Amino acid sequence: MRTEQAPTIERVDYQPLAWVVERIDLHFRLEPAATIVTNRMVCVRNPAVVADGPIRLWGEAQERVSLSIDGAAPATGALREHGDLVEIDVAGEARSVTLEVVTRINPQANTTLSGLYLSNGGYFTQCEAEGFRRITCFPDRPDVMARFTVTLDADRDACPVLLSNGNLLEQGELPQGRHYAKWEDPFPKPSYLFALVAARLVALEREVETASGRKVLLQVWVEEGNLDRCEHAMDSLVHSMRWDESTFGLELDLDRFMIVAVADFNMGAMENKGLNIFNTKFVLAKPDTATDTDFENVESVVAHEYFHNWTGNRVTCRDWFQLTLKEGLTVFRDQQFSADMLARAAGPEGAASARAVKRIDDVRVLRAAQFPEDGGPMAHPIRPDSYQEINNFYTATVYEKGAEVIRMLHTLLGPEGFRNGMDLYFSYHDGCAVTCDDFVDAMAEANGRDLDQFMRWYGQAGTPRLRATCAWDAGTGTYTLNLAQHTPPTPGQHDKLPLVIPVALGLIGPDGHDCPLQLDGEAQPGAATRVLALTEEAQSFRFVGLTAEPVPSLLRGFSAPVMLEVDEDDARLAFRMAHDSDPFNRWDAAQRYSERIVLALAAGSAAEVPPAFVAAFRSLLEDARLDPAFRAQALTLPTEGFLLERMSPADPQALRAALVTLTRHLGGTLAEQWLTLFKAMQVLGPYRYHPADAGRRALANLALRYLAAAQDPRGIALARQRFEAATNMTERFGALAALAVNAGAARDTALQNFHARYQNDPLVLDKWFALQAGAWRWSAAAAPTVEQVRALMADPAFSLSNPNKVYALLGTFFRANAGEFHAADGSGHVFWADQVIALDATNPQVAARMARALENWRRYTPALQASIRPQLERVLATEKLSADVAEVVGKALG
Ligand code: TRP
Ligand code: ZN
């Protein structure tokens, strides 16, 4: 068993440091196994702190070569070390001292991908959240903002390109085949935004003008063979710049902005000031290797990191508990940006549907990933109260629920009020490290609103339940809507207070049209959709002037991150599927209806799929007025992750069997319709990344998958044709996914051909791994997926040290294939423990992400719990287990 437990850091313990750093001059002599870092810091007493105290620095994974203070060794006893913390007393009254620390680090041995590491012969850094302390000693906290100058000295052949934050001051030759470059960042920044790159790379460049007419140089740096895959990332960057200028009046503040792609990276991308470092997955895209979804993801991640330049970098977080200050806000901004881009491409006619499709995508992620997190042992408020390892708190709650909280402010204050709040926020806090309260206070002040109750969203964990009941009085034409809220207890938080819940709603008349809304006491009817703010535990709203009983459409556009509980019979769901004027709710009605059918099949309370459901589903399928992208969403069943959350106890096997039955039934009964649809959805002409084309491709791919699930030979023949004739990855991979549904020679051949064609393309092979790891078993004859995953680990293209490979193969199996992962014989659980333990020895951040796949084990059937518990215990008992995994598994068992 692990003996010492990682200490818990509490939010309320925040204290400013007695000493901060004003300027830091870094020199790197880069060598793979022994890089020398010379760090000269001007430390000053923190003007905001009266109490005296030592200089505090953190340093880990380094050897100290020397340390001096104002040119001399520290006096005896003046330097103390406690683990990673170094404290130095400063004698006398000096307001400022210069500290020089020389350390030796080993990038080659750094498998954590945090700090300075090697990837394919190049040097890269990742400092958020606490990676800078793995490079040198520093007060490595976001509330210490310093001016950086950085000199890189490296072998010219191995590393012809030397980059760091800000502006290039000078560069030149050095003896022994080496060269150097010196960079200066004009903006003070926290250490987590420091970055350097020294590698063999080439750049796509573009010069653009900012709104105020400044010329700036944009660069996308990649390995030479990838230069033909950078165009889309560059376009996305330019679009992001324009959007932030026109939406928020925010301009790029540097003369040069760089994006660098690296193949070994723990997360998606990182917003280092002026030098964003990206996982290759979110930069590289060309039609032959990237799907429409990849193009979309590149655009939104480029935007996300670019938007951080203001929301995160210019105004940063005081401490890591405030992470959602930058992440929730920046996710909201990237979601709005993507919605605007889609709406613009769709034109005025299609804009509303295009926005709804984006909203549906985002809500699907929230429900599949954040709702389970909020209902499990790791549940935390968007601003957590405590953590053991901060890397475990880059979560769906902090990011996605955080974005929902910002969206609710946007809904409550309106776009203009929100913009005024943003302007005030920047006018107060530009250049500062602040808290979530500072943000909400600016929103409140700019709008003359009291947002104290709203702040509860930052402090309360758990998904609120919103219960709606209705009463119709035909005599007076009055419709009463009763809303009640309740948030279930979460670990460490038993009692919850009522939240401010914006409820966007409409009332649909029997003719399918929205009724104008008139609340009791209002002089006349108003708009067809309005936002009610529920602030109490229960409230009633009376609508008058109605001539017939309406059908309520609640939480339009998903106006709050809650679970809506409302009794609707099948007929009413079918009615809303056909008539709800809010496209999001139309989709949601289809999801609710599908959920009902799947869960009934899984529970055995229904033996077959009701014809009424098939009829409603068919109407959507055949409604040519609906935009294809929307139809693809509406015809896609709810995710397994969300459905398991709705089952008690969760039974992944029964759920999978139900999903197989339902999918096969929809594929088979509607085979003619799917075939017609597939033909109607062909895209002619060369590939372009455009939402209209992407929607057609998505719907065509979906048709093939339903047909393949039903083993329809015509569908399978079409898939084979499409696989061979495809001129882009979206169609080729869609066809492959359909061919892979049924075990047999056709599947094996297609997978082999695909592998042969893309064997030198790591990002495409990730798709190939993920497809097989996510495989369902459509017949009892097929081999268990776990065996396939085990075998694939031996493929030469697989590597446990590359996070993309781990996420593609193991991540897909553990987190997106519940039916197979939870095989009754427990083989998946044993395999999980083996892999978490193996990963933890080299990369704790990635290991902890995999470990989280079993955190909700107590929701499963007793038999599964009995199989999982010993594996959790085995992981926790591992020697030298990281704090990352220990926190996840400890909380799961706790
Ligand atoms: N700030 C990054 C983002 O939101 C997240 C990130 C990138 C990160 N790399 C990381 C967080 C490593 C923790 C560790 O885009
Ligand atoms: Zn971010």
Side-chain angles (χ1 to χ4, degrees):
M1 241 353 184
R2 277 169 57 87
T3 41
E4 93 277 27
Q5 243 217 309
T8 296
I9 322 285
E10 307 280 346
R11 180 164 63 83
V12 294
D13 290 346
Y14 173 82
Q15 291 281 343
L17 292 170
W19 289 80
V20 293
V21 176
E22 215 166 61
R23 277 182 294 121
I24 172 168
D25 186 43
L26 284 166
H27 183 283
F28 290 84
R29 191 173 195 285
L30 295 165
E31 286 290 344
T35 287
I36 302 293
V37 185
T38 304
N39 163 4
R40 199 172 298 117
M41 293 174 265
V42 178
C43 302
V44 298
R45 287 184 197 273
N46 188 346
V49 174
V50 241
D52 200 13
I55 296 175
R56 306 182 91 197
L57 313 167
W58 284 265
E60 66 179 67
Q62 59 201 250
E63 274 173 69
R64 192 172 319 134
V65 178
S66 66
L67 185 151
S68 67
I69 178 161
D70 284 334
T76 22
L79 184 149
R80 294 174 301 277
E81 301 193 49
H82 324 270
D84 298 336
L85 174 66
V86 182
E87 289 187 340
I88 305 168
D89 294 325
V90 179
E93 298 294 297
R95 195 197 74 88
S96 127
V97 295
T98 299
L99 206 60
E100 189 183 276
V101 190
V102 180
T103 50
R104 187 184 300 113
I105 55 179
N106 186 346
Q108 192 165 59
N110 182 4
T111 57
T112 64
L113 311 187
S114 165
L116 177 67
Y117 64 92
L118 285 181
S119 172
N120 203 11
Y123 297 81
F124 299 84
T125 55
Q126 172 55 41
C127 292
E128 187 177 7
E130 297 179 336
F132 192 70
R133 65 186 63 182
R134 297 170 55 82
I135 295 173
T136 185
C137 292
F138 192 79
D140 185 18
R141 310 187 344 177
D143 58 347
V144 177
M145 298 173 84
R147 265 196 190 93
F148 281 66
T149 53
V150 179
T151 307
L152 299 92
D153 160 345
D155 185 87
R156 173 177 263 297
D157 278 341
C159 305
V161 174
L162 305 175
L163 309 175
S164 191
N165 318 82
N167 302 315
L168 180 61
L169 289 186
E170 54 175 285
Q171 55 186 331
E173 304 295 318
L174 291 172
Q176 290 163 333
R178 297 181 71 86
H179 69 150
Y180 78 97
K182 184 170 184 184
W183 293 80
E184 178 183 53
D185 188 343
F187 295 95
K189 66 167 176 290
S191 49
Y192 82 88
L193 291 174
F194 162 80
L196 75 74
V197 171
R200 179 171 288 282
L201 301 170
V202 293
L204 173 70
E205 299 195 339
R206 204 175 284 180
E207 219 180 61
V208 296
E209 253 183 48
T210 66
S212 68
R214 258 180 337 101
K215 279 204 171 50
V216 299
L217 175 63
L218 309 180
Q219 297 176 316
V220 179
W221 291 94
V222 297
E223 286 182 6
E224 191 163 10
N226 287 329
L227 203 53
D228 63 343
R229 307 186 190 193
C230 299
E231 196 82 18
H232 179 63
M234 180 64 90
D235 289 343
S236 302
L237 179 57
V238 174
H239 292 145
S240 307
M241 289 176 61
R242 295 290 169 251
W243 186 88
D244 222 7
E245 289 173 348
S246 57
T247 313
F248 288 110
L250 298 172
E251 231 182 81
L252 178 60
D253 55 10
L254 291 163
D255 300 334
R256 143 163 16 198
F257 190 87
M258 298 172 275
I259 286 178
V260 180
V262 62
D264 297 291
F265 201 72
N266 283 344
M267 303 266 285
M270 180 63 211
E271 69 263 26
N272 316 298
K273 185 78 186 188
L275 181 58
N276 288 358
I277 298 183
F278 273 59
N279 189 324
T280 44
K281 183 176 163 61
F282 296 114
V283 177
L284 306 179
K286 64 174 178 183
D288 184 49
T289 59
T291 60
D292 291 324
T293 306
D294 293 326
F295 275 86
E296 209 177 309
N297 290 340
V298 167
E299 182 180 75
S300 81
V301 178
V302 166
H304 179 97
E305 306 311 331
Y306 176 75
F307 296 155
H308 268 316
N309 192 51
W310 281 94
T311 51
N313 301 2
R314 286 289 287 256
V315 183
T316 195
C317 301
R318 187 193 70 174
D319 56 75
W320 290 120
F321 293 103
Q322 317 299 326
L323 185 58
T324 200
L325 172 74
K326 73 177 178 82
E327 295 305 347
L329 178 54
T330 304
V331 171
F332 171 72
R333 278 153 52 71
D334 83 54
Q335 290 175 347
Q336 293 292 88
F337 163 76
S338 296
D340 285 350
M341 294 293 288
L342 288 167
R344 191 209 295 174
E349 295 277 286
S353 176
R355 285 180 194 284
V357 166
K358 169 64 180 159
R359 186 72 186 125
I360 289 164
D361 266 330
D362 295 338
V363 173
R364 219 191 263 280
V365 170
L366 187 84
R367 286 178 175 166
Q370 199 278 326
F371 281 14
E373 179 170 278
D374 230 352
M378 286 280 288
H380 51 278
I382 65 167
R383 174 162 67 182
D385 292 320
S386 66
Y387 60 76
Q388 287 164 31
E389 172 51 63
I390 184 57
N391 285 315
N392 285 331
F393 285 80
Y394 287 74
T395 58
T397 298
V398 167
Y399 277 64
E400 270 73 33
K401 187 178 181 180
E404 293 298 322
V405 170
I406 301 295
R407 182 177 298 277
M408 287 189 286
L409 280 174
H410 189 265
T411 302
L412 292 167
L413 304 175
E416 260 177 58
F418 188 84
R419 167 69 195 266
N420 293 338
M422 288 285 278
D423 290 351
L424 196 63
Y425 173 64
F426 289 117
S427 81
Y428 283 161
H429 304 301
D430 187 13
C432 301
V434 305
T435 65
C436 299
D437 307 86
D438 293 318
F439 179 79
V440 177
D441 285 349
M443 285 286 157
E445 186 184 328
N447 290 278
R449 294 274 280 258
D450 178 346
L451 294 173
D452 287 357
Q453 188 189 353
F454 187 84
M455 274 308 292
R456 288 178 189 161
W457 279 106
Y458 283 85
Q460 283 186 187
T463 306
R465 308 301 198 262
L466 175 65
R467 172 103 200 123
T469 56
C470 313
W472 167 242
D473 181 350
T476 58
T478 303
Y479 189 76
T480 307
L481 177 66
N482 307 302
L483 296 177
Q485 59 169 306
H486 160 75
T487 304
T490 50
Q493 266 192 359
H494 195 82
D495 299 313
K496 315 273 182 175
L497 297 167
L499 296 157
V500 180
I501 301 182
V503 182
L505 86 154
L507 298 179
I508 313 170
D511 60 353
H513 293 296
D514 281 349
C515 314
L517 300 179
Q518 183 176 10
L519 277 171
D520 196 10
E522 287 175 349
Q524 58 201 30
T529 297
R530 65 192 288 168
V531 180
L532 304 176
L534 175 67
T535 56
E536 287 158 42
E537 226 157 84
Q539 267 168 275
S540 293
F541 301 88
R542 278 155 53 89
F543 294 93
V544 297
L546 295 153
T547 50
E549 179 174 7
V551 167
S553 166
L554 300 169
L555 217 64
R556 283 187 161 172
F558 201 65
S559 58
V562 302
M563 284 197 206
L564 173 65
E565 296 171 352
V566 52
D567 293 326
E568 289 182 290
D569 60 15
D570 291 358
R572 193 150 119 185
L573 284 172
F575 176 79
R576 289 208 299 114
M577 268 170 86
H579 297 295
D580 204 315
S581 70
D582 181 63
F584 177 88
N585 265 10
R586 221 173 149 179
W587 167 80
D588 190 57
Q591 294 286 295
R592 282 169 187 268
Y593 202 173
S594 311
E595 174 187 322
R596 177 172 301 174
I597 304 305
V598 176
L599 295 187
L601 289 169
S605 57
E608 49 197 49
V609 183
F613 174 74
V614 179
F617 196 84
R618 177 179 173 171
S619 305
L620 284 178
L621 196 166
E622 292 188 315
D623 190 344
R625 289 163 311 175
L626 291 174
D627 126 55
F630 177 81
R631 263 193 287 169
Q633 293 280 17
L635 302 174
T636 300
L637 300 175
T639 63
E640 231 169 12
F642 177 65
L643 290 169
L644 284 171
E645 195 57 24
R646 310 283 294 167
M647 251 179 144
S648 201
D651 184 345
Q653 308 278 293
L655 176 63
R656 176 61 61 81
L659 283 166
V660 163
T661 303
L662 179 58
T663 308
R664 196 168 265 159
H665 186 81
L666 291 169
T669 326
L670 301 174
E672 298 307 323
Q673 288 79 6
W674 288 120
L675 286 164
T676 308
L677 186 64
F678 176 79
K679 286 178 191 132
M681 288 300 129
Q682 295 310 300
V683 180
L684 303 173
Y687 176 92
R688 45 167 204 165
Y689 169 64
H690 187 282
D693 291 3
R696 298 169 77 85
R697 285 186 284 263
L699 196 47
N701 283 341
L702 188 70
L704 286 186
R705 269 211 306 286
Y706 272 106
L707 287 164
Q711 291 178 296
D712 186 291
R714 296 161 300 176
I716 292 168
L718 286 172
R720 190 171 306 139
Q721 254 172 40
R722 188 170 168 96
F723 181 66
E724 270 147 30
T727 58
N728 63 74
M729 182 53 76
T730 308
E731 292 181 359
R732 178 167 289 118
F733 193 72
L736 180 65
L739 291 174
V741 164
N742 294 297
R747 175 184 203 265
D748 299 346
T749 313
L751 284 167
Q752 273 160 22
N753 287 348
F754 190 87
H755 185 277
R757 184 179 177 123
Y758 294 106
Q759 56 186 320
N760 297 317
D761 207 314
L763 291 177
V764 180
L765 289 181
D766 290 343
K767 300 180 195 302
W768 182 82
F769 282 116
L771 180 64
Q772 297 174 81
W776 292 14
R777 261 191 301 160
W778 294 84
S779 85
T785 301
V786 66
E787 285 173 18
Q788 186 70 31
V789 173
R790 263 215 186 88
L792 285 168
M793 287 186 73
D795 190 287
F798 182 80
S799 162
L800 265 190
S801 63
N802 175 249
N804 285 355
K805 291 283 167 298
V806 173
Y807 297 148
L809 187 63
L810 304 181
T812 303
F813 181 60
F814 297 148
R815 297 184 301 190
N817 196 355
E820 289 293 308
F821 177 34
H822 297 294
D825 64 1
S827 52
H829 306 140
V830 175
F831 178 65
W832 169 88
D834 291 344
Q835 300 315 319
V836 170
I837 292 168
L839 281 167
D840 194 52
T842 55
N843 190 331
Q845 283 184 37
V846 172
R849 283 181 186 274
M850 294 301 107
R852 295 201 55 191
L854 281 180
E855 74 191 23
N856 284 359
W857 67 292
R858 282 191 217 271
R859 298 206 62 259
Y860 295 132
T861 58
L864 284 177
Q865 288 190 36
S867 165
I868 295 169
R869 178 193 279 277
Q871 301 309 323
L872 287 165
E873 287 169 348
R874 176 155 75 94
V875 170
L876 195 62
T878 305
E879 270 193 62
K880 300 210 184 112
L881 192 68
S882 68
D884 306 57
V885 173
E887 177 171 31
V888 170
V889 178
K891 285 181 176 171
L893 284 167

